[in-house]
Structure formats: C-alpha cells, structure tokens
Amino acid sequence: MSLAEADLQQGYSIKETAERTGMSEDTIRYYEKIGLLPRAKRKGNSHRIYSDSDLNRMLLVTCLKKTGMSLDDMRPYLDLSLDADLSQYPELHVMILNHRQKIIEQIASLQQIVDFIDVKIEQGNLGPQTCELAGDRKQMPRGRKAKAKAKA
Amino acid sequence: MSLAEADLQQGYSIKETAERTGMSEDTIRYYEKIGLLPRAKRKGNSHRIYSDSDLNRMLLVTCLKKTGMSLDDMRPYLDLSLDADLSQYPELHVMILNHRQKIIEQIASLQQIVDFIDVKIEQGNLGPQTCELAGDRKQMPRGRKAKAKAKA
DNA sequence: CATTGACTTGGAGCCAGCTCCAAGTTATAT
DNA sequence: ATATAACTTGGAGCTGGCTCCAAGTCAATG
C-alpha cells in the first residue's frame, strides 16, 4: 500500500490516457508496438504509465493524422517535438520544410474544392469543367515491380 | 479496317486515359467495378472507351482524393458533377454544404500545422505545447461492437 | 482465498484501396 | 498463319491502420 500510494497520481493510466487523447487503448498499444510512440514507462512492473508530455505527443499524432499524414511520415515530427534542437539536424529541417510545402498544396486543393462547391451551388449544376487540380499526378506503385512509364 | 478507322479518335483508350489522368489502368477498372465510375462504353464489343467528360470525372476523383475524402464519400459529388440540377435534390444540397464546412475546418487544421511548423522552425525546438487541434476527437470503432464510453 | 477489474502480451481478423496475375479475345503487322 | 500488343474478366494478394480476442498477471476487496 505504501508503494501504491507513492505511485498514485504519478501519471495517467492507459485508460485515462485513452480518454484524454481520444484514442483507444488498443491504438495506443499499437502505436507503441510499431514504435510510433516510445515504449511507455511501467508501474508495478507491467502497467503503462503516461506523463503530460506523453499525452502531448499523442495529441500531436492525432493532429498530424488529421492532416492526412501517414503514421510513418510523422515519425520525424515526433522525434522532433521532444527536445531536439532543429538547427542541429539539417536533414530533418529540410524534410519539414518539404512537408510544410505539401500541406500548403493540400490547403490549395481543399480551397479549390470549396470553390468547386460554391460554383456548383450557384450554378445549380455543372458543365464539363470540374476542378483544375490533378496537376501533379504522382501516383504509381509503392511496392514491387513498378509498372510506371512516365512519358516525359 | 474501315470500322477501325471510324472508331479511331472517337475517344480515349484505357491506356491513354490512365496516362492522362495519372491513375493506373487497374485503378480505373477498379473504380468501375465498385461503381465509383459508371460502366464505360465499349468499342469493338469489349474495349473501354472514354470521353473528355469521363476524364473530367476522373480528375475530380483524384482531386477529391487529395483532400483525403474516401471513395465512398465522393459518390455524391460525382453524381452531381454530371448534370444534376442541385436545387432538385435538397438532401444532397445539405450534404454538400456540410462537407464544405468540413473542408473549411480541414483547411484550418492544416493551417495550424503550418503555424506549428513555423513556430518550431523559429524556436529551434518545442516545449510541451503542441498544436491546439485534437479538439474534436471523433474516433471510435466504425465496425461492430463499439467499445465507446463517452464520459460526459 | 476467491472474485473482480484493470491491466498485460501475442496474434488473428478486418476494411479500404489498390495491385498483380492468369487465361482468354481480337486486331494488326510480318 | 502467327506473333505481338492491347485489351478483357475474375479473383487472389498485399499494405496500412487499426480492432478484437484469449490467456495470463496483479491488487484490492468482500
């Protein structure tokens, strides 16, 4: 009991963390499993216990997820958000600037959809012109053989 | 040959369509299979043939995809982009306004990420404050049992 | 001391969205 | 006639991102 008391209020249980972050417990464990989150500290030699900064990390994940970033892509951000001195890691700096640019483009895409909608709503219907996006098709397989045949 | 000549230049083959839209041929067939695109017209009783308006539809798909919309969610847009008279379908109208609103929110989220990045870049590192997003956690299972336990 | 409840792990299962493959058809070029 | 190329269909397989489950541990409580 004395130990238990000492441990008490030292951090958040996984359940509480799930409630506070809006993730499921399973998801939190899953993120740990795939190394998106660092292995959590344990209490009484098993139960995970989280600090406020852990929660912040998780909130950053949900935040980045909203922008459509893949779990893999967000790793550098998470590493960064701990304590890194950005100027120390020029590669990361570049990556982040690149991603910033992508997000700017995403915003532009979304804005075009909004415009598209507005036009449709005003017109009542739409002719052949749809949105002008689709400029940078960079699809193409991500696995194996790569069938790609870029023309230019 | 005469028939072939007549058919020639009447539209785009699937290959050309793939090149022009940036989708793979497989993806185009897949979209047809799941009914995201209407069954394509056929030439010589088999080969698909596409018109400019078909291509526009597809470009709209890639455009909507960029905004993170699921294939299912974009169906109403595609129907709409054909020729529908929007005022004829009040439900659709509402759906679209709702989606418009969501996109506006998405833009705001993305903008916050950009701000977050900018702050990080200026600071060189980040303290506990991450981004202020994560406000509307609306996760929770989409399938089966729904473990949810909303507290409030 | 048996039960309850919160937790643990490992692994199976599931959905979206493709991607790949095999077998078959038809058209043109040699 | 035959090889090549562009297509067809149906279905299997794969990745990402979870979600669910079974079996077990540990702590406090009746």
Side-chain angles (χ1 to χ4, degrees):
Chain A
M1 262 180 207
S2 45
L3 267 178
E5 256 164 18
D7 274 353
L8 222 54
Q9 301 309 78
Q10 288 274 88
Y12 309 106
S13 71
I14 195 169
K15 188 181 189 184
E16 226 185 322
T17 304
E19 275 160 8
R20 284 173 183 255
T21 61
M23 296 177 182
S24 76
E25 302 178 28
D26 268 331
T27 299
I28 293 171
R29 289 193 204 96
Y30 171 70
Y31 286 172
E32 185 179 320
K33 185 147 65 182
I34 64 170
L36 189 65
L37 298 174
R39 176 170 168 86
K41 277 183 235 163
R42 309 306 171 110
K43 223 169 63 176
N45 236 6
S46 66
H47 295 190
R48 288 168 179 83
I49 182 163
Y50 296 97
S51 69
D52 282 311
S53 89
D54 291 330
L55 292 226
N56 275 323
R57 241 180 123 88
M58 294 179 198
L59 291 177
L60 179 57
V61 169
T62 66
C63 163
L64 293 174
K65 252 185 33 172
K66 278 205 211 161
T67 74
M69 192 182 297
S70 78
L71 299 184
D72 250 52
D73 286 354
M74 61 180 73
R75 286 173 201 273
Y77 285 83
L78 295 173
D79 296 346
L80 184 65
S81 75
L82 280 175
D83 45 33
D85 179 355
L86 186 48
S87 56
Q88 224 64 33
Y89 307 90
E91 280 191 22
L92 201 54
H93 197 158
V94 168
M95 281 190 53
I96 287 169
L97 286 179
N98 282 343
H99 197 77
R100 183 183 186 282
Q101 190 50 39
K102 273 194 203 162
I103 293 173
I104 299 274
E105 280 158 21
Q106 259 191 77
I107 290 176
S109 289
L110 289 170
Q111 188 55 55
Q112 285 189 66
I113 298 281
V114 169
D115 294 347
F116 168 72
I117 290 172
D118 290 346
V119 167
K120 275 212 81 55
I121 282 171
E122 269 178 44
Q123 293 187 347
N125 93 31
L126 188 85
Q129 290 79 261
T130 53
C131 69
E132 286 312 328
L133 298 167
D136 57 323
R137 72 284 307 244
K138 29 120 202 203
Q139 300 277 97
M140 294 301 108
R142 4 175 247 269
R144 307 151 178 282
K145 287 184 176 174
K147 233 180 202 170
K149 293 180 190 177
K151 224 182 176 180
Chain B
M1 262 183 206
S2 45
L3 266 178
E5 257 164 18
D7 273 352
L8 224 53
Q9 300 309 78
Q10 289 273 88
Y12 310 105
S13 71
I14 194 168
K15 187 182 191 183
E16 226 186 322
T17 304
E19 275 160 8
R20 285 173 183 255
T21 61
M23 295 177 182
S24 75
E25 301 178 28
D26 268 331
T27 300
I28 293 171
R29 289 192 204 97
Y30 171 69
Y31 286 172
E32 185 179 320
K33 185 148 65 181
I34 64 170
L36 188 66
L37 298 174
R39 177 170 168 86
K41 275 182 235 162
R42 310 306 172 111
K43 224 170 61 178
N45 235 5
S46 65
H47 295 191
R48 289 168 179 82
I49 182 163
Y50 297 97
S51 70
D52 281 312
S53 89
D54 291 330
L55 294 224
N56 275 323
R57 242 180 122 89
M58 294 179 198
L59 290 177
L60 180 56
V61 169
T62 66
C63 164
L64 292 174
K65 252 185 33 171
K66 279 204 211 163
T67 74
M69 192 182 296
S70 78
L71 300 183
D72 250 53
D73 287 353
M74 60 180 72
R75 285 173 201 274
Y77 285 81
L78 295 173
D79 295 347
L80 184 62
S81 73
L82 280 175
D83 46 31
D85 180 355
L86 187 46
S87 55
Q88 224 64 33
Y89 307 90
E91 280 190 21
L92 200 53
H93 196 157
V94 168
M95 280 190 52
I96 287 169
L97 286 179
N98 282 342
H99 197 78
R100 184 183 185 280
Q101 189 51 39
K102 274 194 203 162
I103 293 173
I104 299 274
E105 281 157 20
Q106 260 191 77
I107 290 176
S109 289
L110 289 171
Q111 189 53 58
Q112 285 189 64
I113 299 279
V114 170
D115 294 348
F116 168 71
I117 290 172
D118 290 346
V119 166
K120 275 210 81 55
I121 282 171
E122 269 179 44
Q123 292 187 349
N125 93 32
L126 189 84
Q129 291 78 261
T130 51
C131 69
E132 286 313 327
L133 298 167
D136 56 324
R137 72 283 308 243
K138 29 121 204 202
Q139 300 276 98
M140 294 301 108
R142 5 174 247 270
R144 306 152 181 280
K145 286 185 177 175
K147 234 181 199 171
K149 294 179 190 175
K151 225 182 176 178

